[in-house]
Amino acid sequence: MNNYFMSGKLMHKASDHNTKRCEVEKWVFLPHSDFERLKANPYQEHEAITAARDLMYEDKNAYHCIMLLDEYGEDGLLIEAEGFDYLYFRTVP
């Protein structure tokens, strides 16, 4: 089985471990250069995010997200953009 890697912030001794389901509504493969540019400039608007705006939202059961993947399949960004056309970074209470 191939490993799948995601970048994230892991908190040591978090005050709670409440999680919420993340449902991937759409998988989008981006050209490597596009993906790297988006990672380096997360507030840059991107057409893949704009095109999937209606798929990304939060309801009582889950965050509905899109997964942007590097065309080589070695890196990805799980996104729930809150109606924006760029990456939205949510802080978790």
Side-chain angles (χ1 to χ4, degrees), residues 8-17:
K9 181 178 179 182
L10 301 178
M11 298 175 57
H12 180 70
K13 294 188 179 181
S15 59
D16 63 51
H17 294 281

Side-chain angles (χ1 to χ4, degrees), residues 9-65:
K9 181 178 179 182
L10 301 178
M11 298 175 57
H12 180 70
K13 294 188 179 181
S15 59
D16 63 51
H17 294 281
N18 296 330
T19 61
K20 190 168 191 175
R21 181 181 181 94
C22 294
E23 295 184 21
V24 177
E25 302 292 340
K26 185 175 183 180
W27 298 78
V28 180
F29 287 88
L30 298 177
H32 179 70
S33 59
D34 231 19
F35 186 83
E36 289 299 316
R37 195 169 34 254
L38 188 57
K39 272 189 0 183
N41 302 294
Y43 296 112
Q44 160 191 337
E45 291 185 7
H46 196 280
E47 63 272 3
I49 298 170
T50 302
R53 187 186 306 172
D54 293 341
L55 299 175
M56 296 178 285
Y57 60 94
E58 176 186 5
D59 62 24
K60 67 178 183 174
N61 299 316
Y63 295 112
H64 297 267
C65 309

